[in-house]
PDB file of all heavy atoms in Angstrom:
ATOM      1  N   ALA A 233      63.992  41.789  -6.658  1.00 98.00           N
ATOM      2  CA  ALA A 233      62.808  41.862  -7.516  1.00 98.00           C
ATOM      3  C   ALA A 233      62.444  40.471  -8.033  1.00 98.00           C
ATOM      4  O   ALA A 233      61.271  40.066  -8.015  1.00 98.00           O
ATOM      5  CB  ALA A 233      63.059  42.822  -8.679  1.00 98.00           C
ATOM      6  N   TRP A 234      63.470  39.710  -8.446  1.00 98.00           N
ATOM      7  CA  TRP A 234      63.210  38.328  -8.884  1.00 98.00           C
ATOM      8  C   TRP A 234      62.619  37.492  -7.753  1.00 98.00           C
ATOM      9  O   TRP A 234      61.709  36.674  -7.964  1.00 98.00           O
ATOM     10  CB  TRP A 234      64.520  37.687  -9.371  1.00 98.00           C
ATOM     11  CG  TRP A 234      64.764  37.883 -10.835  1.00 98.00           C
ATOM     12  CD1 TRP A 234      65.721  38.678 -11.410  1.00 98.00           C
ATOM     13  CD2 TRP A 234      64.035  37.294 -11.923  1.00 98.00           C
ATOM     14  NE1 TRP A 234      65.635  38.618 -12.776  1.00 98.00           N
ATOM     15  CE2 TRP A 234      64.613  37.777 -13.129  1.00 98.00           C
ATOM     16  CE3 TRP A 234      62.952  36.412 -11.996  1.00 98.00           C
ATOM     17  CZ2 TRP A 234      64.132  37.402 -14.377  1.00 98.00           C
ATOM     18  CZ3 TRP A 234      62.481  36.033 -13.253  1.00 98.00           C
ATOM     19  CH2 TRP A 234      63.067  36.526 -14.421  1.00 98.00           C
ATOM     20  N   GLU A 235      63.093  37.711  -6.527  1.00 98.00           N
ATOM     21  CA  GLU A 235      62.587  36.931  -5.399  1.00 98.00           C
ATOM     22  C   GLU A 235      61.145  37.307  -5.081  1.00 98.00           C
ATOM     23  O   GLU A 235      60.307  36.434  -4.830  1.00 98.00           O
ATOM     24  CB  GLU A 235      63.490  37.117  -4.180  1.00 98.00           C
ATOM     25  CG  GLU A 235      63.045  36.381  -2.935  1.00 98.00           C
ATOM     26  CD  GLU A 235      62.909  34.868  -3.108  1.00 98.00           C
ATOM     27  OE1 GLU A 235      63.316  34.340  -4.168  1.00 98.00           O
ATOM     28  OE2 GLU A 235      62.348  34.218  -2.196  1.00 98.00           O
ATOM     29  N   GLY A 236      60.839  38.610  -5.128  1.00 98.00           N
ATOM     30  CA  GLY A 236      59.446  39.019  -4.889  1.00 98.00           C
ATOM     31  C   GLY A 236      58.527  38.454  -5.949  1.00 98.00           C
ATOM     32  O   GLY A 236      57.413  37.976  -5.675  1.00 98.00           O
ATOM     33  N   SER A 237      59.042  38.445  -7.187  1.00 98.00           N
ATOM     34  CA  SER A 237      58.287  37.897  -8.322  1.00 98.00           C
ATOM     35  C   SER A 237      58.017  36.408  -8.121  1.00 98.00           C
ATOM     36  O   SER A 237      56.909  35.912  -8.322  1.00 98.00           O
ATOM     37  CB  SER A 237      59.135  38.149  -9.569  1.00 98.00           C
ATOM     38  OG  SER A 237      58.551  37.652 -10.718  1.00 98.00           O
ATOM     39  N   LEU A 238      59.049  35.683  -7.646  1.00 98.00           N
ATOM     40  CA  LEU A 238      58.900  34.234  -7.423  1.00 98.00           C
ATOM     41  C   LEU A 238      57.935  33.965  -6.268  1.00 98.00           C
ATOM     42  O   LEU A 238      57.105  33.044  -6.346  1.00 98.00           O
ATOM     43  CB  LEU A 238      60.263  33.610  -7.131  1.00 98.00           C
ATOM     44  CG  LEU A 238      60.281  32.085  -6.922  1.00 98.00           C
ATOM     45  CD1 LEU A 238      59.738  31.335  -8.128  1.00 98.00           C
ATOM     46  CD2 LEU A 238      61.690  31.602  -6.582  1.00 98.00           C
ATOM     47  N   LYS A 239      57.980  34.745  -5.207  1.00 98.00           N
ATOM     48  CA  LYS A 239      57.060  34.550  -4.063  1.00 98.00           C
ATOM     49  C   LYS A 239      55.611  34.670  -4.516  1.00 98.00           C
ATOM     50  O   LYS A 239      54.760  33.855  -4.170  1.00 98.00           O
ATOM     51  CB  LYS A 239      57.365  35.583  -2.972  1.00 98.00           C
ATOM     52  CG  LYS A 239      58.655  35.341  -2.236  1.00 98.00           C
ATOM     53  CD  LYS A 239      58.581  34.198  -1.248  1.00 98.00           C
ATOM     54  CE  LYS A 239      59.128  32.886  -1.652  1.00 98.00           C
ATOM     55  NZ  LYS A 239      60.372  32.665  -2.271  1.00 98.00           N
ATOM     56  N   LEU A 240      55.318  35.721  -5.308  1.00 98.00           N
ATOM     57  CA  LEU A 240      53.941  35.931  -5.780  1.00 98.00           C
ATOM     58  C   LEU A 240      53.526  34.776  -6.679  1.00 98.00           C
ATOM     59  O   LEU A 240      52.415  34.242  -6.568  1.00 98.00           O
ATOM     60  CB  LEU A 240      53.854  37.275  -6.527  1.00 98.00           C
ATOM     61  CG  LEU A 240      52.468  37.687  -7.025  1.00 98.00           C
ATOM     62  CD1 LEU A 240      51.501  37.870  -5.847  1.00 98.00           C
ATOM     63  CD2 LEU A 240      52.547  38.984  -7.837  1.00 98.00           C
ATOM     64  N   LYS A 241      54.439  34.349  -7.533  1.00 98.00           N
ATOM     65  CA  LYS A 241      54.144  33.242  -8.472  1.00 98.00           C
ATOM     66  C   LYS A 241      53.913  31.941  -7.722  1.00 98.00           C
ATOM     67  O   LYS A 241      52.931  31.235  -7.928  1.00 98.00           O
ATOM     68  CB  LYS A 241      55.325  33.093  -9.439  1.00 98.00           C
ATOM     69  CG  LYS A 241      55.136  32.128 -10.569  1.00 98.00           C
ATOM     70  CD  LYS A 241      56.304  32.216 -11.553  1.00 98.00           C
ATOM     71  CE  LYS A 241      56.296  33.536 -12.272  1.00 98.00           C
ATOM     72  NZ  LYS A 241      57.425  33.691 -13.212  1.00 98.00           N
ATOM     73  N   GLU A 242      54.846  31.616  -6.803  1.00 97.00           N
ATOM     74  CA  GLU A 242      54.779  30.335  -6.085  1.00 97.00           C
ATOM     75  C   GLU A 242      53.517  30.226  -5.224  1.00 97.00           C
ATOM     76  O   GLU A 242      52.801  29.245  -5.277  1.00 97.00           O
ATOM     77  CB  GLU A 242      55.990  30.195  -5.151  1.00 97.00           C
ATOM     78  CG  GLU A 242      57.304  29.886  -5.837  1.00 97.00           C
ATOM     79  CD  GLU A 242      58.455  29.798  -4.841  1.00 97.00           C
ATOM     80  OE1 GLU A 242      58.503  30.614  -3.894  1.00 97.00           O
ATOM     81  OE2 GLU A 242      59.302  28.905  -5.007  1.00 97.00           O
TER      82      GLU A 242
END
Side-chain angles (χ1 to χ4, degrees):
W234 269 110
E235 179 58 9
S237 179
L238 182 58
K239 288 285 100 47
L240 183 62
K241 187 172 292 178
E242 286 179 320

